[in-house]
Amino acid sequence: MIVKDKNQNDIIDQELINSFEINYIFESKPINRFKNKPTIENTNYKLNNLKTKIQNINNCDLKSNAKQLVFNDGDHRSPVMIVGEGPGQKEDDLGKPFVGDAGQLLNKMLSAISIKRENVYITNVVNYIPPNNRKPEQAEINRYSEFLREHISIIDPKILILMGSVAMEALFGFKIKISKERGIWKELIISNKTYVVMITFHPAYLLRLPDQKKYSWADLKEIRKKIDELKLKI
Ligand code: URA
């Protein structure tokens, strides 16, 4: 029997429940449905697996030209992930992304919105320096974009920042122009998960064309605003 309370919501009669002969437990505590919450060990394991997969790539002009793999830098628990294009000479020498002139500018850009570089997670589309520091080719971008998608899934950032057209193309295709797409919040779906994305100019481009910095500054302010809105700890 359902007893309807005049003033409140429906109340299920205890007799009805008892008649099912099921021992219900009513808990006011929320149920923890996230049985597989990522642990640090889990993330490290997945990152190492991905690294090995990239190191085992065959028939790749990038890999055969490079001194070493340039995989990542920063905090893998960070809510902010930055994706650049690919290693340059200094990155190839040191094995870390964004450690040359573009990296110096990136550090300044982050610090302008009160973010320390070590508190973000940084990677590139391609993980080996292209021969003669050329731009990665479309086929190379496509090939490495599979690894990049996996990388994003592992880090699972709350905000993904794509720096430059190569990072944009790797995830959104080749038919769009960065001048039109930058500065606008976008959504990217990877393995049924939606990521919040900002495309912005690459620091190396800003070193070549400093008058474009005004656009980057607008994008950085948007990023800061989103971090504050989402109450991200960084
Ligand atoms: N440019 C990039 O896109 N990535 C680096 O790591 C360095 C320069």
Side-chain angles (χ1 to χ4, degrees), residues 70 83-88 91 96-100 102-103 122-126 163 202-204:
V70 177
V83 181
E85 177 178 317
E91 288 75 22
K96 264 191 186 185
F98 282 103
V99 287
I122 306 175
T123 190
N124 282 310
V125 174
V126 299
M163 294 196 136
H202 193 286

Side-chain angles (χ1 to χ4, degrees), residues 206-223:
L206 300 174
L207 289 173
R208 289 195 302 275
L209 296 171
D211 66 319
Q212 300 292 297
K213 283 184 183 171
K214 53 183 179 284
Y215 301 112
S216 287
W217 178 231
D219 301 350
L220 287 168
K221 282 193 286 185
E222 272 300 313
I223 291 166

